[in-house]
Amino acid sequence: MTAEDRVCRRGPIRTCVGCRSRAEKSELLRVVVDGSRPMMELVPDPDGRLPGRGAYIHPSTGCLDIAERRRAFPRSFRRGGPLDVSVVRRWLEAVK
C-alpha cells in the first residue's frame, strides 16, 4: 500500500462474508447474533452499535443467499449450529 492509497481511503475496509469482496465499512451492513431467543437469529445492525461480534454483508439479498449457501455466518460468529437469517432478509427486502 502506497502513501497515496492511504490518503484516498475514507474509512475502514471490511470483507463481505457473502461475495468475499472488500468494501468500505459504510457500504456494508453489519449483522449480529441475537441470542436472547431460543433459536439464535441474525439481526441487522445498520448503525453498528449492537454489542457482540459482527459480520458484514452487502445490503443485497444476493450476498445474503451466497453467505447462507456457503455457511459463512456460523463460521464468522464461531457458532456450531445454523443461524436464522429471516429477520435480515425481511430488512433487506424492506430497504430495497
Side-chain angles (χ1 to χ4, degrees):
M1 180 183 302
T2 66
E4 292 172 357
D5 292 335
R6 280 187 230 116
V7 171
C8 293
R9 191 183 299 170
R10 288 183 256 151
I13 302 294
R14 300 289 184 260
T15 302
C16 173
V17 296
C19 65
R20 303 292 300 155
S21 65
R22 295 170 50 124
E24 289 187 21
K25 183 179 174 181
S26 61
E27 296 174 12
L28 300 172
L29 172 67
R30 181 176 186 254
V31 294
V32 295
V33 174
D34 181 11
S36 65
R37 299 184 180 143
M39 178 161 181
M40 301 269 210
E41 66 181 11
L42 295 177
V43 293
D45 183 17
D47 297 328
R49 301 201 186 283
L50 292 176
R53 176 178 291 274
Y56 293 86
I57 62 167
H58 285 103
S60 72
T61 55
C63 281
L64 182 63
D65 292 337
I66 294 169
E68 265 189 300
R69 190 170 55 245
R70 291 181 53 241
R71 298 184 194 109
F73 290 121
R75 217 176 11 258
S76 295
F77 293 111
R78 300 177 184 166
R79 304 281 178 175
L83 298 169
D84 184 21
V85 297
S86 60
V87 175
V88 176
R89 185 173 304 283
R90 283 193 305 267
W91 188 89
L92 289 173
E93 290 170 352
V95 171
K96 257 203 261 186

